[in-house]
Amino acid sequence: MMRQPKTTVCRFQLLVFVMGTSVIITSTICLALTYCMGNLDGLTDEDRDVAEAKEINAEADMEARQLEGKIQALEERLREETLRTCPSLLPAARPVRTCAEKTNFVFIKMHKSGSETMTSLFHRFGDERMLEFVLPRGDVNDWYLGWPNPITKDIYRPAKSGTFNIMCEHTVFNKQAMSDIMPDNTVYITILREPFEQFKSSFKYHLLPKVVGIPENSDVLLEFFRKPETYDDIYTSGAELVRKVRTGIPDGVSVTRNFMAHDLGFPKAQWENSTYITEFIKYIDKEFILIMILEYLDESLVLLKRVMCWEFQDIIYHPSNVVAYPYKSDRRPNLIAAHKRLSKVDYALYEHFNRTLWEKIEEQGPDFREELAAFRKIQRVTTRYCDTKNRAPLSFPSTKWSMEVRITRHFCSRYKLDTRGYLDHVLKKRYDGLLM
């Protein structure tokens, strides 16, 4: 009988250990983990021979891959806890952590503003740490937490652990309602997009021409701005013919006017009230730890990493819902001016928080640009790696900004999951006890 390699024994011992605990590492087991961590970093030739032999049988190979993925995921969690808890195992170049990682946060998922990309990142962050998400009560395809209204207690599942960590599905910002659900140290994050770009994306995604009767082969944007209020009234109406075509949007909600402001809780009755707009922006500025800008996503993510005390691996992203359409590059000044008259609040929000983003970046000091360049390299190489079938882990050494980044096939499989993939097939299944 073939002798089982020591590394394999260690790996399965760790698998049993991690599955039976919450992966909290204490100093009393650092020595044992040092032994195992050393063996985890490389397989022997004998291990590889065994793995290659299993590939002969397709069914066995699939089972082996699934098990390997689970082991890799658990190893990553174990490695992270070990490196953070056992100082003797930290790489020499690893900076001393001078802040505490923030894990309790609300992300206001802004429609058509890159928020699907961000939600995928946040799902992965929480999944890797086994954090508790605020999940919609429904099963498959229930992805809203009360939107287009604020969250209420009857629409989310109770916290299994007793405490929630992350809320990042579609809802409307309401500090009081969210404070009743989330821990006291929760921070708030969102992302904005240049309003005309957000409008075009929403216009396309929510089937405006089809719903309101603008011929698809016409200049649809020019026609819409000939009588925007009329078309908006048609779209938001409760007419039966409109409801049959319009999907996912209830009566009375405009997807072309101040759509981002709506997600932040701005009342429609105050759209033209300049004083209210100014005070609302001050309020949002005070309540949110960071408002990112889609047009400067990389810069926003590095700033997010700093304010949340995260690592490079936590902010690697996979662009989601990126589609082409005929008027995507349309930037006619007369159309932009017409939209600005319709969506004063969205433009005021964007102009303010685009400016404050750059003010925050300037406050970070000269090494922000160096860190941004380092992150972009990791993002670029990881994207290429995850698009291949290379099974050898990819690693980037620790730097003065972050601990080592280690990319596995398991990471790639999670990195590419959208809301449907994560919410329906990972988080809800785990909540229901159908997934470890």
Side-chain angles (χ1 to χ4, degrees), residues 168-198:
C168 62
E169 311 311 329
H170 278 302
T171 189
V172 171
F173 175 64
N174 182 293
K175 180 66 179 294
Q176 183 58 57
M178 292 170 173
S179 296
D180 291 342
I181 299 168
M182 301 296 292
D184 291 341
N185 64 348
T186 296
V187 297
Y188 293 80
I189 307 162
T190 193
I191 186 168
L192 298 177
R193 184 178 187 179
E194 193 281 319
F196 192 68
E197 294 301 305
Q198 193 270 349

CSV table of all heavy atoms in Angstrom, one decimal, residues 168-198:
chain,number,residue,atom,x,y,z
A,168,CYS,N,-25.4,44.5,2.2
A,168,CYS,CA,-25.0,45.0,0.9
A,168,CYS,C,-25.9,44.7,-0.2
A,168,CYS,O,-25.6,44.9,-1.4
A,168,CYS,CB,-23.6,44.5,0.6
A,168,CYS,SG,-23.4,42.7,0.4
A,169,GLU,N,-27.2,44.3,0.1
A,169,GLU,CA,-28.1,44.1,-1.0
A,169,GLU,C,-29.0,45.4,-1.2
A,169,GLU,O,-28.9,46.3,-0.4
A,169,GLU,CB,-29.1,42.9,-0.7
A,169,GLU,CG,-28.3,41.7,-0.2
A,169,GLU,CD,-27.2,41.2,-1.1
A,169,GLU,OE1,-27.2,41.5,-2.3
A,169,GLU,OE2,-26.2,40.6,-0.6
A,170,HIS,N,-29.7,45.4,-2.3
A,170,HIS,CA,-30.5,46.6,-2.6
A,170,HIS,C,-31.4,47.0,-1.5
A,170,HIS,O,-32.3,46.3,-1.1
A,170,HIS,CB,-31.3,46.4,-3.9
A,170,HIS,CG,-30.4,46.6,-5.1
A,170,HIS,ND1,-29.8,47.8,-5.4
A,170,HIS,CD2,-30.2,45.8,-6.2
A,170,HIS,CE1,-29.2,47.7,-6.6
A,170,HIS,NE2,-29.4,46.5,-7.1
A,171,THR,N,-31.3,48.2,-1.0
A,171,THR,CA,-32.2,48.8,-0.1
A,171,THR,C,-32.1,50.4,-0.2
A,171,THR,O,-31.2,50.9,-1.0
A,171,THR,CB,-32.0,48.3,1.4
A,171,THR,OG1,-33.1,48.8,2.2
A,171,THR,CG2,-30.7,48.8,1.9
A,172,VAL,N,-32.8,51.1,0.6
A,172,VAL,CA,-32.7,52.6,0.6
A,172,VAL,C,-32.1,53.0,1.9
A,172,VAL,O,-32.5,52.5,3.0
A,172,VAL,CB,-34.1,53.2,0.4
A,172,VAL,CG1,-34.1,54.7,0.7
A,172,VAL,CG2,-34.6,52.9,-1.0
A,173,PHE,N,-31.1,53.9,1.9
A,173,PHE,CA,-30.4,54.3,3.1
A,173,PHE,C,-31.4,54.9,4.1
A,173,PHE,O,-32.2,55.9,3.8
A,173,PHE,CB,-29.3,55.3,2.8
A,173,PHE,CG,-28.7,55.9,4.0
A,173,PHE,CD1,-28.0,55.0,4.9
A,173,PHE,CD2,-28.8,57.2,4.3
A,173,PHE,CE1,-27.3,55.6,6.0
A,173,PHE,CE2,-28.1,57.8,5.4
A,173,PHE,CZ,-27.4,56.9,6.3
A,174,ASN,N,-31.4,54.4,5.3
A,174,ASN,CA,-32.2,55.0,6.4
A,174,ASN,C,-31.4,54.6,7.7
A,174,ASN,O,-31.4,53.5,8.1
A,174,ASN,CB,-33.6,54.4,6.5
A,174,ASN,CG,-34.4,55.0,7.6
A,174,ASN,OD1,-34.1,54.8,8.8
A,174,ASN,ND2,-35.5,55.7,7.2
A,175,LYS,N,-30.7,55.6,8.2
A,175,LYS,CA,-29.8,55.4,9.3
A,175,LYS,C,-30.4,54.8,10.5
A,175,LYS,O,-29.9,53.8,11.1
A,175,LYS,CB,-29.1,56.7,9.7
A,175,LYS,CG,-28.1,56.6,10.8
A,175,LYS,CD,-26.9,55.7,10.5
A,175,LYS,CE,-25.9,55.7,11.6
A,175,LYS,NZ,-25.2,56.9,11.9
A,176,GLN,N,-31.6,55.2,10.9
A,176,GLN,CA,-32.3,54.7,12.0
A,176,GLN,C,-32.7,53.2,11.9
A,176,GLN,O,-32.4,52.4,12.7
A,176,GLN,CB,-33.6,55.5,12.3
A,176,GLN,CG,-34.3,55.1,13.6
A,176,GLN,CD,-33.4,55.2,14.8
A,176,GLN,OE1,-32.9,56.2,15.2
A,176,GLN,NE2,-33.2,54.0,15.5
A,177,ALA,N,-33.3,52.9,10.7
A,177,ALA,CA,-33.7,51.5,10.5
A,177,ALA,C,-32.5,50.6,10.5
A,177,ALA,O,-32.5,49.5,11.0
A,177,ALA,CB,-34.4,51.4,9.2
A,178,MET,N,-31.4,51.0,9.9
A,178,MET,CA,-30.2,50.2,9.8
A,178,MET,C,-29.5,50.1,11.1
A,178,MET,O,-28.9,49.1,11.5
A,178,MET,CB,-29.2,50.8,8.7
A,178,MET,CG,-29.8,50.6,7.3
A,178,MET,SD,-28.9,51.5,6.0
A,178,MET,CE,-29.8,50.9,4.6
A,179,SER,N,-29.5,51.2,11.9
A,179,SER,CA,-28.9,51.1,13.2
A,179,SER,C,-29.6,50.1,14.2
A,179,SER,O,-28.9,49.6,15.1
A,179,SER,CB,-28.9,52.5,13.9
A,179,SER,OG,-28.1,53.4,13.1
A,180,ASP,N,-30.9,49.9,13.9
A,180,ASP,CA,-31.6,49.0,14.7
A,180,ASP,C,-31.2,47.5,14.4
A,180,ASP,O,-31.5,46.6,15.2
A,180,ASP,CB,-33.1,49.1,14.5
A,180,ASP,CG,-33.7,50.4,15.0
A,180,ASP,OD1,-33.0,51.0,15.9
A,180,ASP,OD2,-34.8,50.8,14.6
A,181,ILE,N,-30.6,47.3,13.3
A,181,ILE,CA,-30.2,46.0,12.9
A,181,ILE,C,-28.7,45.7,13.0
A,181,ILE,O,-28.3,44.6,13.5
A,181,ILE,CB,-30.5,45.8,11.4
A,181,ILE,CG1,-32.1,46.0,11.1
A,181,ILE,CG2,-30.1,44.4,10.8
A,181,ILE,CD1,-32.4,46.1,9.7
A,182,MET,N,-27.9,46.7,12.8
A,182,MET,CA,-26.4,46.5,12.7
A,182,MET,C,-25.8,46.9,14.0
A,182,MET,O,-26.3,47.6,14.8
A,182,MET,CB,-25.8,47.3,11.6
A,182,MET,CG,-26.4,47.0,10.2
A,182,MET,SD,-26.0,45.3,9.6
A,182,MET,CE,-24.2,45.4,9.4
A,183,PRO,N,-24.5,46.4,14.3
A,183,PRO,CA,-23.8,46.7,15.5
A,183,PRO,C,-23.5,48.2,15.6
A,183,PRO,O,-23.5,49.0,14.6
A,183,PRO,CB,-22.5,45.9,15.3
A,183,PRO,CG,-22.8,44.8,14.4
A,183,PRO,CD,-23.8,45.4,13.5
A,184,ASP,N,-23.2,48.7,16.8
A,184,ASP,CA,-22.9,50.1,17.0
A,184,ASP,C,-21.7,50.7,16.2
A,184,ASP,O,-21.7,51.8,15.8
A,184,ASP,CB,-22.7,50.4,18.5
A,184,ASP,CG,-24.0,50.2,19.3
A,184,ASP,OD1,-25.0,50.2,18.7
A,184,ASP,OD2,-23.8,50.0,20.5
A,185,ASN,N,-20.7,49.8,15.9
A,185,ASN,CA,-19.5,50.3,15.2
A,185,ASN,C,-19.6,50.1,13.7
A,185,ASN,O,-18.6,50.2,13.0
A,185,ASN,CB,-18.3,49.6,15.8
A,185,ASN,CG,-18.3,48.1,15.5
A,185,ASN,OD1,-19.3,47.5,15.1
A,185,ASN,ND2,-17.1,47.5,15.7
A,186,THR,N,-20.8,50.0,13.2
A,186,THR,CA,-21.0,49.8,11.7
A,186,THR,C,-20.6,51.1,11.0
A,186,THR,O,-21.0,52.2,11.5
A,186,THR,CB,-22.5,49.5,11.4
A,186,THR,OG1,-22.8,48.2,12.0
A,186,THR,CG2,-22.7,49.4,9.9
A,187,VAL,N,-20.0,51.0,9.9
A,187,VAL,CA,-19.7,52.1,9.0
A,187,VAL,C,-20.4,52.0,7.7
A,187,VAL,O,-20.9,50.9,7.3
A,187,VAL,CB,-18.1,52.2,8.7
A,187,VAL,CG1,-17.4,52.5,10.0
A,187,VAL,CG2,-17.6,51.0,8.0
A,188,TYR,N,-20.6,53.1,7.0
A,188,TYR,CA,-21.4,53.2,5.8
A,188,TYR,C,-20.6,53.6,4.6
A,188,TYR,O,-19.8,54.5,4.7
A,188,TYR,CB,-22.6,54.1,6.0
A,188,TYR,CG,-23.6,53.7,7.1
A,188,TYR,CD1,-23.3,53.8,8.5
A,188,TYR,CD2,-24.7,53.0,6.7
A,188,TYR,CE1,-24.2,53.3,9.4
A,188,TYR,CE2,-25.6,52.5,7.7
A,188,TYR,CZ,-25.3,52.7,9.0
A,188,TYR,OH,-26.2,52.2,10.0
A,189,ILE,N,-20.9,52.9,3.5
A,189,ILE,CA,-20.1,53.0,2.3
A,189,ILE,C,-21.1,53.0,1.1
A,189,ILE,O,-22.1,52.3,1.1
A,189,ILE,CB,-19.1,51.8,2.1
A,189,ILE,CG1,-18.2,51.6,3.3
A,189,ILE,CG2,-18.3,52.0,0.8
A,189,ILE,CD1,-17.6,50.2,3.3
A,190,THR,N,-20.8,53.8,0.1
A,190,THR,CA,-21.5,53.6,-1.2
A,190,THR,C,-20.6,54.1,-2.4
A,190,THR,O,-19.5,54.4,-2.2
A,190,THR,CB,-22.9,54.4,-1.2
A,190,THR,OG1,-23.7,54.0,-2.3
A,190,THR,CG2,-22.6,55.9,-1.3
A,191,ILE,N,-21.2,54.0,-3.6
A,191,ILE,CA,-20.5,54.4,-4.8
A,191,ILE,C,-21.4,55.2,-5.7
A,191,ILE,O,-22.6,54.9,-5.8
A,191,ILE,CB,-19.9,53.2,-5.5
A,191,ILE,CG1,-19.0,53.6,-6.7
A,191,ILE,CG2,-21.0,52.3,-6.0
A,191,ILE,CD1,-18.2,52.4,-7.3
A,192,LEU,N,-20.9,56.3,-6.3
A,192,LEU,CA,-21.6,57.1,-7.2
A,192,LEU,C,-21.0,57.0,-8.6
A,192,LEU,O,-19.8,56.7,-8.7
A,192,LEU,CB,-21.6,58.6,-6.8
A,192,LEU,CG,-22.3,58.9,-5.4
A,192,LEU,CD1,-22.1,60.4,-5.1
A,192,LEU,CD2,-23.7,58.5,-5.4
A,193,ARG,N,-21.8,57.3,-9.6
A,193,ARG,CA,-21.3,57.3,-11.0
A,193,ARG,C,-21.7,58.6,-11.6
A,193,ARG,O,-22.7,59.3,-11.3
A,193,ARG,CB,-22.0,56.2,-11.7
A,193,ARG,CG,-21.5,56.0,-13.2
A,193,ARG,CD,-22.2,54.8,-13.8
A,193,ARG,NE,-21.7,54.4,-15.1
A,193,ARG,CZ,-22.1,53.4,-15.8
A,193,ARG,NH1,-23.1,52.6,-15.4
A,193,ARG,NH2,-21.6,53.2,-17.0
A,194,GLU,N,-20.9,59.1,-12.6
A,194,GLU,CA,-21.2,60.3,-13.3
A,194,GLU,C,-22.6,60.2,-13.8
A,194,GLU,O,-23.0,59.2,-14.4
A,194,GLU,CB,-20.2,60.5,-14.5
A,194,GLU,CG,-20.3,61.9,-15.1
A,194,GLU,CD,-21.4,62.1,-16.0
A,194,GLU,OE1,-21.8,61.1,-16.8
A,194,GLU,OE2,-22.1,63.1,-16.0
A,195,PRO,N,-23.5,61.2,-13.4
A,195,PRO,CA,-24.9,61.0,-13.6
A,195,PRO,C,-25.4,60.7,-15.0
A,195,PRO,O,-26.4,59.9,-15.2
A,195,PRO,CB,-25.5,62.3,-13.1
A,195,PRO,CG,-24.5,62.8,-12.1
A,195,PRO,CD,-23.2,62.4,-12.7
A,196,PHE,N,-24.8,61.3,-16.0
A,196,PHE,CA,-25.3,61.0,-17.4
A,196,PHE,C,-24.9,59.6,-17.8
A,196,PHE,O,-25.7,58.9,-18.5
A,196,PHE,CB,-24.7,62.0,-18.4
A,196,PHE,CG,-25.4,62.0,-19.8
A,196,PHE,CD1,-26.7,62.3,-19.9
A,196,PHE,CD2,-24.7,61.5,-20.9
A,196,PHE,CE1,-27.3,62.3,-21.2
A,196,PHE,CE2,-25.3,61.4,-22.1
A,196,PHE,CZ,-26.6,61.8,-22.3
A,197,GLU,N,-23.7,59.1,-17.4
A,197,GLU,CA,-23.4,57.7,-17.7
A,197,GLU,C,-24.3,56.8,-16.9
A,197,GLU,O,-24.7,55.7,-17.5
A,197,GLU,CB,-21.9,57.5,-17.2
A,197,GLU,CG,-20.9,58.2,-18.0
A,197,GLU,CD,-21.0,57.9,-19.5
A,197,GLU,OE1,-20.9,56.7,-19.9
A,197,GLU,OE2,-21.1,58.8,-20.3
A,198,GLN,N,-24.7,57.1,-15.7
A,198,GLN,CA,-25.6,56.3,-14.9
A,198,GLN,C,-27.0,56.3,-15.6
A,198,GLN,O,-27.6,55.2,-15.7
A,198,GLN,CB,-25.7,56.8,-13.5
A,198,GLN,CG,-26.4,55.9,-12.5
A,198,GLN,CD,-27.8,56.1,-12.4
A,198,GLN,OE1,-28.4,57.1,-12.9
A,198,GLN,NE2,-28.5,55.2,-11.7
